[in-house]
Amino acid sequence: MTTPVVSIAYHSGYGHTAVVAEAVRAGAAEAGATAHLIKVDEITDTEWELLDGSDAIIFGSPTYMGTASGAFHQFAEETSKRWFSKSWHDKLAAGFTNSGSKSGDKLHTLQFFQTLASQHAMIWVPLGLAPGWNSTEGSENDLNRLGFFAGAAAQTNADEGPEGVHKADIATAEHLGRRVAETARVFSAGRIAVAA
């Protein structure tokens, strides 16, 4: 059984999204993947090659003004070289985001990630959790407390630093990392079986 390689390509403006990215990495590593964090605003040629060699790429960015950050958009444009060469064809993809508001138009950021992945002919892995905190029995400490399906969504109060990232959102991000790593393992085994 091969060890899947999962790379988390993310931007963090003030450190909050970096906390979420680390949680995604930890979840993927816990599930047995080799997991890498790549800051897209500081990406090197070696890290581009790492993305090219990954089984899965998880995109992450804060939601600013209703979409991913400018730094992430710049990275997305730079992936066009991979589009021309089909380098990311059939890789797994997933995404996460953070904003100051409970909704904060985070869905648009996740849909931007899905569109980017689709343009690269990647295979999207959704969060795979039912929404939490949506009944009298629920609480803000539930997994997926904000009720997103497309990816992991976090909310951090605008007047708090990275230490204010909600523990339930960190746990939800860890779940996403585990899910992507487990899915990558299944896909890898399937490709080996088909090739045989």
Side-chain angles (χ1 to χ4, degrees), residues 10-187:
Y10 76 99
H11 174 248
S12 184
Y14 299 97
H16 305 87
T17 308
V19 170
V20 183
E22 170 54 30
V24 173
R25 188 210 62 76
E30 180 187 314
T34 300
H36 305 279
L37 290 174
I38 297 173
K39 296 179 181 180
V40 300
D41 55 332
E42 301 174 4
I43 193 165
T44 65
D45 289 342
T46 300
E47 288 172 326
W48 278 113
E49 291 171 9
L50 183 58
L51 290 175
D52 294 343
S54 296
D55 297 295
I57 302 172
I58 305 175
F59 303 124
S61 169
T63 295
Y64 292 155
M65 305 307 292
T67 188
S69 66
F72 193 92
H73 275 268
Q74 179 65 39
F75 162 77
E77 289 182 23
E78 291 172 1
T79 69
S80 63
K81 293 176 183 174
R82 272 67 195 168
W83 183 85
F84 282 110
S85 62
K86 299 183 179 180
S87 302
W88 295 358
H89 234 133
D90 294 333
K91 289 185 186 298
L92 299 181
F96 62 93
T97 187
N98 179 74
S99 73
S101 299
K102 297 291 189 286
S103 172
D105 293 319
K106 286 189 276 281
L107 178 59
H108 186 261
T109 300
L110 293 172
Q111 289 172 330
F112 170 71
F113 294 155
Q114 286 178 313
T115 300
L116 175 63
S118 295
Q119 289 184 341
H120 283 284
M122 300 171 82
I123 301 163
W124 190 259
V125 180
L127 182 59
L129 285 173
W133 202 17
N134 65 355
S135 71
T136 56
E137 299 297 316
S139 82
E140 67 173 306
N141 297 310
D142 292 343
L143 286 177
N144 196 20
R145 69 187 182 112
L146 301 177
F148 283 78
F149 292 92
Q155 178 272 331
T156 309
N157 293 329
D159 58 352
E160 289 187 288
E163 72 285 348
V165 178
H166 200 286
K167 300 301 184 208
D169 297 341
I170 291 172
T172 300
E174 290 171 346
H175 168 86
L176 179 67
R178 284 192 300 272
R179 178 170 165 80
V180 171
E182 290 162 359
T183 304
R185 180 174 284 107
V186 169
F187 268 68

